[in-house]
Amino acid sequence: MQSLNTVLKTIKDVANLHTQINTYAQGQAYDFSASEALLYPCLWAIPQGLTIASGSDSLVGNSVDYRVQVYMMDIENNDGTNEIDVLNDTALILLDIIAYLDDSLNDNNELSLSGVGNLEPFVDARLDTVSGHSCELVFTAAFLKDNCTGIII
């Protein structure tokens, strides 16, 4: 079964392939630039939980949806003169990532990109003066319901 680690590794791999992304990070939003200096543009992923699909003849279905909020951000000039450029570029980069995930996972039976939320802009956020876009990505994975995952009866 695909796990949250698989989903985050998939996002990280795509971020590392994109020539305009200098840093991939993950963790809670309050961690933005708190522990180390980030190289921008940065893609940040925050797990938002998971949902098990309902089955037709069972409470538990055969798939799991992993929700991940992603933030594509870049540093702004102190006077804000490049804010529109940052919003433009981060939206385009995020669209590249979504298109790549959709195309590359479409042929994969174990994990797929099944949902994309609205791209929402944010400005002048966190400790660094960063702006960009965020959206929720939903990944669907098969849920096999096998008993060999650690429970011994």
Side-chain angles (χ1 to χ4, degrees), residues 11 14-24 39-44 70-75 85-101 116 119 131-135 137:
I11 297 169
V14 173
N16 288 336
L17 289 172
H18 200 290
T19 58
Q20 291 178 286
I21 298 175
N22 288 326
T23 304
Y24 168 82
L39 296 176
Y40 293 99
C42 172
L43 180 69
W44 194 288
V70 291
Y71 292 82
M72 186 63 235
M73 62 187 105
D74 200 355
I75 198 89
D85 289 334
V86 168
L87 291 174
N88 178 76
D89 295 348
T90 56
L92 292 173
I93 294 169
L94 203 47
L95 289 170
D96 287 346
I97 291 166
I98 292 165
Y100 185 89
L101 287 169
V116 176
L119 274 66
S131 295
H133 282 83
S134 70
C135 74
L137 303 177

Side-chain angles (χ1 to χ4, degrees), residues 65-84:
D65 289 339
Y66 293 95
R67 297 180 325 279
V68 179
Q69 189 76 21
V70 291
Y71 292 82
M72 186 63 235
M73 62 187 105
D74 200 355
I75 198 89
E76 254 190 57
N77 294 336
N78 288 336
D79 61 3
T81 54
N82 68 335
E83 181 178 297
I84 297 301

Side-chain angles (χ1 to χ4, degrees), residues 104-148:
S104 65
L105 296 178
N106 223 6
D107 298 331
N108 184 342
N109 294 328
E110 296 180 7
L111 186 66
S112 65
L113 181 65
S114 57
V116 176
N118 293 334
L119 274 66
E120 300 291 341
F122 61 91
V123 293
D124 198 18
R126 312 295 178 214
L127 296 176
D128 288 342
T129 305
V130 295
S131 295
H133 282 83
S134 70
C135 74
E136 183 177 71
L137 303 177
V138 181
F139 295 85
T140 299
F143 180 51
L144 304 177
K145 298 188 286 189
D146 58 2
N147 287 334
C148 62

Side-chain angles (χ1 to χ4, degrees), residues 4-67:
L4 176 62
N5 285 333
T6 305
V7 169
L8 293 175
K9 182 181 181 317
T10 300
I11 297 169
K12 179 180 182 178
D13 290 347
V14 173
N16 288 336
L17 289 172
H18 200 290
T19 58
Q20 291 178 286
I21 298 175
N22 288 326
T23 304
Y24 168 82
Q26 60 195 37
Q28 294 306 310
Y30 57 78
D31 289 338
F32 288 171
S33 74
S35 60
E36 60 186 60
L38 296 176
L39 296 176
Y40 293 99
C42 172
L43 180 69
W44 194 288
I46 303 173
Q48 299 294 306
L50 59 99
T51 305
I52 302 172
S54 297
S56 58
D57 60 351
S58 166
L59 177 63
V60 178
N62 59 359
S63 67
V64 176
D65 289 339
Y66 293 95
R67 297 180 325 279

